[in-house]
């Protein structure tokens, strides 16, 4: 049935698009954290603390996005975990805005490569919007009901169309067809919303935890190395006046 195949392809695309978007969020967050750790030069403990707070804002972004796409709480603003050493709890957009405000206040934002930060920050917002689109745009209920009705009618008509030629084999053939069709429908329903809390949904806690561990690694490297040149990373470009 073409309609059944189209339904399965639609839900499968939603699942894999959600996974690709989370991979992109991870890449963008880690690139922003790595570049800031390398290029944002601090001169005193106060500036160093502000830099760490900005990285902690970035660290919290994946978990805030997870809460939004899961809609776990009625009042997300009051239920976000408090970020250590920061002044307030914030939504994903507020986290990005606070991070951008900090970067624009720093001297490195006036370097030739500063457009990279603007691009990555815009990318975070775009990825958030794409994830929200997947969460808030389910398959229309009328389409779902109609597809089930068509499938049931099709399965009920199979025995009458093959009983003359297949005789007693009609029963197992019909059972196998029903298992295949209803199984595909069941799989499509399971993966349509990839951000749930079931075991078959995407493990968002694992994704967020992995990102947080990598940002923590960058923060620890900053504590261990006073000079950005000693972080052990290769600079992506040689900057003038450095």
């Amino acid at each position: 049935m073409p309609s059944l195949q189209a339904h399965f392809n639609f839900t499968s695309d939603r699942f894999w698009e959600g996974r690709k978007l989370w991979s992109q969020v991870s890449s963008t967050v880690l690139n922003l954290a790595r570049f800031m750790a390398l290029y944002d030069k601090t001169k005193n403990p106060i500036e160093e603390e502000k830099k760490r707070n900005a990285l902690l804002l970035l660290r919290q972004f994946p978990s805030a996005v997870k809460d939004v796409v899961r809609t776990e709480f009625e009042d997300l603003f009051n239920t976000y975990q408090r970020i250590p050493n920061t002044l307030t709890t914030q939504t994903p957009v507020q986290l990005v805005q606070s991070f951008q405000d900090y970067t624009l206040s720093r001297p490195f934002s006036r370097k030739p490569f500063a457009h990279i930060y603007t691009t990555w920050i815009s990318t975070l917002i775009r990825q958030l919007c794409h994830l929200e689109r997947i969460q808030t745009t389910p398959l229309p209920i009328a389409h779902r009901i109609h597809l089930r009705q068509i499938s049931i009618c099709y399965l009920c008509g199979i025995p009458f169309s093959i009983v003359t030629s297949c005789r007693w084999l009609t029963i197992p053939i019909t059972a196998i067809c029903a298992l295949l069709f209803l199984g595909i429908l069941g799989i499509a329903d399971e993966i349509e919303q990839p951000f749930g809390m079931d075991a078959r949904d995407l493990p968002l806690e694992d994704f967020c935890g992995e990102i947080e561990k990598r940002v923590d690694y960058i923060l620890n490297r900053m504590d261990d190395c006073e000079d950005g040149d000693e972080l052990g990373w290769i600079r992506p470009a040689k900057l003038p006046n450095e």
Side-chain angles (χ1 to χ4, degrees):
M1 292 176 61
S3 58
L4 184 61
Q5 181 180 358
H7 174 62
F8 181 80
N9 290 339
F10 172 78
T11 56
S12 179
D13 288 343
R14 286 169 56 89
F15 187 90
W16 291 114
E17 184 182 4
R19 179 62 186 95
K20 288 187 289 185
L21 286 169
W22 271 103
S23 178
Q24 293 168 11
V25 168
S26 174
S27 174
T28 306
V29 168
L30 295 177
N31 279 329
L32 280 169
R34 183 171 60 90
F35 270 58
M36 173 173 284
L38 189 61
Y39 289 119
D40 185 14
K41 306 297 184 181
T42 56
K43 300 179 180 179
N44 54 63
I46 295 178
E47 290 185 353
E48 182 67 25
E49 184 68 14
K50 290 181 179 179
K51 178 179 177 179
R52 290 183 60 86
N53 288 343
L55 288 173
L56 288 172
L57 290 172
L58 198 62
R59 179 184 184 273
Q60 183 70 6
F61 179 79
S63 294
V65 173
K66 172 181 70 70
D67 292 338
V68 169
V69 298
R70 276 188 170 173
T71 58
E72 295 174 344
F73 312 103
E74 295 182 359
D75 188 357
L76 292 172
F77 182 82
N78 293 329
T79 52
Y80 287 142
Q81 297 179 357
R82 181 167 295 276
I83 308 168
N85 300 323
T86 55
L87 298 178
T88 183
T89 55
Q90 302 180 34
T91 64
V93 175
Q94 292 172 324
L95 288 169
V96 173
Q97 185 62 51
S98 299
F99 179 79
Q100 184 176 24
D101 291 342
Y102 170 80
T103 58
L104 293 177
S105 69
R106 300 295 298 157
F108 77 92
S109 65
R110 295 181 287 276
K111 296 288 186 178
F113 66 92
H115 69 280
I116 297 176
Y117 286 89
T118 304
T119 301
W120 282 338
I121 290 172
S122 299
T123 299
L124 282 179
I125 296 297
R126 183 171 63 253
Q127 291 162 353
L128 170 63
C129 292
H130 288 334
L131 289 167
E132 288 180 328
R133 171 177 54 80
I134 294 175
Q135 172 65 20
T136 59
T137 314
L139 193 68
I141 187 64
H143 176 88
R144 191 193 307 273
I145 294 174
H146 184 61
L147 184 61
R148 289 190 176 276
Q149 290 174 342
I150 291 176
S151 300
I152 293 174
C153 292
Y154 181 81
L155 291 173
C156 291
I158 289 179
F160 299 101
S161 62
I162 64 174
V163 65
T164 303
S165 58
C166 296
R167 298 181 180 277
W168 66 270
L169 291 176
T170 299
I171 297 176
I173 291 174
T174 303
I176 293 173
C177 290
L179 178 64
L180 294 176
F181 276 79
L182 297 180
I184 292 175
L185 283 174
I187 293 173
D189 290 342
E190 286 290 335
I191 65 177
E192 182 185 357
Q193 291 291 354
F195 305 135
M197 303 183 67
D198 296 334
R200 293 169 293 276
D201 295 324
L202 292 174
L204 301 188
E205 288 86 358
D206 295 342
F207 297 161
C208 294
E210 188 65 26
I211 296 172
E212 291 171 358
K213 286 193 296 184
R214 292 175 181 178
V215 175
D216 289 339
Y217 170 78
I218 295 174
L219 289 168
N220 293 333
R221 292 286 294 173
M222 287 171 48
D223 293 336
D224 295 339
C225 303
E226 296 181 357
D227 187 355
D229 291 332
E230 297 176 0
L231 286 172
W233 303 324
I234 299 175
R235 289 175 177 266
K238 181 64 177 178
L239 301 180
N241 301 325
E242 283 197 331

